[in-house]
Amino acid sequence: MLETCLHHRRVFLVAFFAVCVGSLAILIPWLGQDFFPNVDSGTFKLHMRAPTGMRIEETANLCDQVERSIRGQIPAREIHNVIDNIGLPYSGINLSYSNSAPVGTSDADILVTLSASHHPTDEYIHQLRLTLPKQFPGVSFAFLPADMTGQILNFGLPAPIDVQIVGNDLEGNQLYADTLLSKLKYVTGTADLRIQQPFDQPYLRMRIERTKAEELGFSAHDIAQNLLVSLSGSFQTSPTFWVDPKNRVSYQIATQTPQYRTDTLQDLQNIPVTGTDPNAPPSLMASLVSVQRGAGMAVVSHYNVAPVIDIFGAAAGRDLGAVAGDINKIIDATRQQLPRGSRVVVRGQVQTMRSSYIGLLAGLAFSLVLVYLLIVVNFQSWLDPFIMISAFPAALAGIAWFLFLTHTTLSVPALMGAIMCMGVATSNSILVVSFATEKIAEGKDSISAALEAGFTRFRPVLMTALAMIIGMVPMALGLGDGGEQNAPLGRAVIGGLLFATVSTLFFVPAFFSLLQGSRQHPAQTGN
């Protein structure tokens, strides 16, 4: 076969190179792009948001109903445990470590852990995405990363896609966010799209009657201080500690009105008010303030000081790169509807994925240049190293084909495997080209030297490539817990080496014979 290729080397070289380049041009758009592969950890976290302002006991009751629905759709033998986390975390420290971004008592997280012998978790997530919104209208559901890998890849965000509307005009940004969300829902592959900041949180606005307060001897600070202590406790404004004389332990002491005494609007109006003026008579809150009902933002978010509105979402059944591409097209088409001074930025895992791809592709290109220059220094030639790295297009085409046939998207592990593959492909080409160069120095013509090099180095090339390929098979199969994470790396190495080995045994000798055929060597001149 090599002899036939050498005798028709021009046609073979053009056809082989065209196939490699054509494969890359055709297959790469179909591969799709992901940051890291999804891992089936046997757990999933469901974030539930009830109507804004719902009391926490009602949210707990709703969680029980959702939990019963989940247990009805997943076999009991496959459920290990279910844990509900309702409302805001008690401590600010716990809130900072939460990745579900709760905003009030209407939020809840339901963590479901499956048994060891369970069906694919993604199937249950897809089924629950379809059934839960129908069973509980008015309640929004979103599936958050439950495993540590997914949480790290999102860098603390509750979703891999974060479309931020940045600007000071919150009302205008809200209208634009609603319009953008209605269009993003039609993007194929999107799931769990929602606006993070609710604008319908019920409020009681207590306006101080300043004339009455001044006549009675109270300041606005006195009224606000009494209301704060009654509802939130005194520890924020006047921390007090008591040291137990027996065990010498310091305890925090806070004064607060019992919650059962502030359940109604009348209870709030009956809060006693005392001031710093000793001549001011004790009064009730009702005589000093007027109460109005209203609605507003449940949470105010900032990014680099600027106010933002977040549209969170995830990709399901489609690669993250394609979903992000469609989202960017919609954003570009609606950018003119933005209020003056506002802008839209796509952050989250999408932004990190793009920067990682740029870095890895630059690393791949740099590795090719570095390998070439290193061989130039060792062989003291510019042409021979160029022949040695000529197997790279075939290796890249093999990576694309193997990822395409195994339904594996491009990802950071796959690009790392591509970089690893280049080293082995280069070492095999060095075996062939160095041997052929020695034969030419002995006086043989380029075709004979290339044929003998391909024949003699056949076994060493196969042994080197097969050792790496066989070693990567267990990783490429993705077996075991979390095996999906490293499977693209093994598949990229296997596919690249399969095509690179063929290129080393056929394309490299043919390319060598073509470039070396017109060169004059000292041994040949002497003969």
Side-chain angles (χ1 to χ4, degrees):
M1 293 177 63
L2 177 58
E3 187 175 5
T4 303
C5 294
L6 290 174
H7 286 298
H8 304 85
R9 52 191 177 184
R10 295 183 182 276
V11 176
F12 169 71
L13 289 175
V14 173
F16 190 88
F17 186 75
V19 169
C20 293
V21 175
S23 299
L24 292 173
I26 295 173
L27 294 179
I28 287 180
W30 290 92
L31 291 179
Q33 301 176 6
D34 280 315
F35 188 27
F36 272 81
N38 292 326
V39 177
D40 189 351
S41 60
T43 60
F44 64 86
K45 181 186 289 187
L46 174 63
H47 182 71
M48 183 194 74
R49 175 168 290 178
T52 310
M54 178 178 285
R55 293 178 63 91
I56 192 167
E57 56 267 27
E58 296 297 330
T59 306
N61 183 32
L62 185 59
C63 282
D64 294 337
Q65 300 178 31
V66 174
E67 183 177 334
R68 284 194 294 268
S69 177
I70 293 175
R71 293 183 181 275
Q73 299 182 54
I74 301 178
R77 64 179 181 278
E78 296 189 20
I79 296 181
H80 184 262
N81 58 34
V82 181
I83 300 175
D84 298 343
N85 193 357
I86 306 168
L88 289 172
Y90 178 75
S91 169
I93 298 176
N94 295 334
L95 180 62
S96 64
Y97 283 99
S98 172
N99 69 323
S100 62
V103 299
T105 57
S106 59
D107 284 4
D109 293 333
I110 302 177
L111 179 64
V112 180
T113 304
L114 303 178
S115 60
S117 57
H118 63 85
H119 288 81
T121 308
D122 288 341
E123 294 183 2
Y124 291 131
I125 292 177
H126 177 70
Q127 180 180 348
L128 292 173
R129 276 197 177 112
L130 297 177
T131 57
L132 289 179
K134 297 178 181 178
Q135 296 177 2
F136 303 95
V139 181
S140 62
F141 298 93
F143 288 87
L144 311 181
D147 58 289
M148 183 179 296
T149 303
Q151 295 178 17
I152 292 174
L153 293 179
N154 284 345
F155 292 93
L157 290 175
I161 300 175
D162 180 13
V163 181
Q164 288 188 341
I165 298 94
V166 186
N168 294 320
D169 187 358
L170 288 178
E171 294 183 0
N173 291 344
Q174 178 194 0
L175 296 176
Y176 175 78
D178 293 335
T179 303
L180 184 61
L181 179 62
S182 63
K183 295 183 178 181
L184 294 182
K185 289 182 177 179
Y186 290 98
V187 175
T188 304
T190 56
D192 304 333
L193 287 171
R194 74 272 187 193
I195 296 178
Q196 168 65 11
Q197 293 81 9
F199 283 81
D200 56 350
Q201 175 73 29
Y203 282 101
L204 289 176
R205 305 187 184 277
M206 309 185 77
R207 185 181 300 275
I208 298 176
E209 300 291 345
R210 297 184 179 273
T211 303
K212 294 182 180 179
E214 184 178 359
E215 291 177 353
L216 294 176
F218 295 105
S219 64
H221 178 268
D222 296 333
I223 300 173
Q225 185 80 0
N226 282 267
L227 185 62
L228 175 65
V229 170
S230 294
L231 298 182
S232 298
S234 61
F235 189 78
Q236 298 182 21
T237 57
S238 56
T240 305
F241 298 90
W242 175 74
V243 180
D244 190 339
K246 295 182 180 179
N247 55 17
R248 302 296 180 182
V249 175
S250 177
Y251 295 94
Q252 301 176 0
I253 299 177
T255 304
Q256 183 178 0
T257 303
Q259 292 188 8
Y260 63 85
R261 297 288 300 273
T262 57
D263 280 347
T264 64
L265 181 59
Q266 185 63 40
D267 291 337
L268 293 179
Q269 293 176 335
N270 290 337
I271 293 177
V273 179
T274 57
T276 55
D277 187 357
N279 298 322
S283 301
L284 296 179
M285 193 68 64
S287 61
L288 299 173
V289 300
S290 61
V291 182
Q292 297 177 349
R293 296 182 183 271
M297 296 186 66
V299 61
V300 179
S301 303
H302 291 79
Y303 189 93
N304 287 342
V305 183
V308 298
I309 297 177
D310 296 279
I311 299 178
F312 288 136
R318 194 181 179 198
D319 62 285
L320 183 62
V323 172
D326 291 346
I327 289 176
N328 287 328
K329 292 178 182 178
I330 295 177
I331 292 175
D332 293 337
T334 60
R335 202 178 294 274
Q336 296 180 351
Q337 303 178 20
L338 273 169
R340 184 185 297 271
S342 298
R343 66 184 190 276
V344 182
V345 183
V346 180
R347 293 192 171 98
Q349 198 176 118
V350 176
Q351 188 181 41
T352 309
M353 180 185 72
R354 288 174 179 169
S355 61
S356 300
Y357 272 41
I358 293 173
L360 286 172
L361 291 175
L364 179 60
F366 180 74
S367 67
L368 299 181
V369 175
L370 185 62
V371 167
Y372 175 73
L373 295 178
L374 182 62
I375 302 175
V376 167
V377 173
N378 287 327
F379 285 85
Q380 295 297 310
S381 171
W382 292 96
L383 182 62
D384 289 345
F386 180 70
I387 300 173
M388 294 173 186
I389 66 171
S390 61
F392 285 173
L396 296 176
I399 293 171
W401 271 109
F402 207 79
L403 294 179
F404 177 76
L405 294 177
T406 56
H407 303 284
T408 306
T409 59
L410 277 177
S411 59
V412 171
L415 292 177
M416 293 174 61
I419 297 176
M420 291 177 57
C421 177
M422 297 307 163
V424 181
T426 305
S427 64
N428 286 339
S429 297
I430 291 174
L431 290 176
V432 176
V433 175
S434 61
F435 188 87
T437 304
E438 294 175 1
K439 294 303 176 183
I440 284 185
E442 294 175 1
K444 293 188 177 182
D445 62 277
S446 61
I447 295 181
S448 299
L451 183 61
E452 188 172 351
F455 175 77
T456 306
R457 296 303 191 188
F458 180 74
R459 286 184 178 178
V461 168
L462 284 186
M463 289 173 60
T464 305
L466 287 176
M468 178 68 80
I469 291 173
I470 295 174
M472 286 291 175
V473 167
M475 181 183 294
L477 293 176
L479 303 177
D481 295 337
E484 306 95 338
Q485 197 76 42
N486 296 320
L489 188 150
R491 294 168 187 172
V493 172
I494 291 175
L497 287 182
L498 287 176
F499 276 56
T501 303
V502 175
S503 177
T504 301
L505 295 176
F506 294 98
F507 183 83
V508 172
F511 194 44
F512 175 86
S513 65
L514 179 65
L515 294 183
Q516 296 283 7
S518 58
R519 295 181 64 185
Q520 297 294 328
H521 300 275
Q524 291 175 313
T525 305
N527 292 334

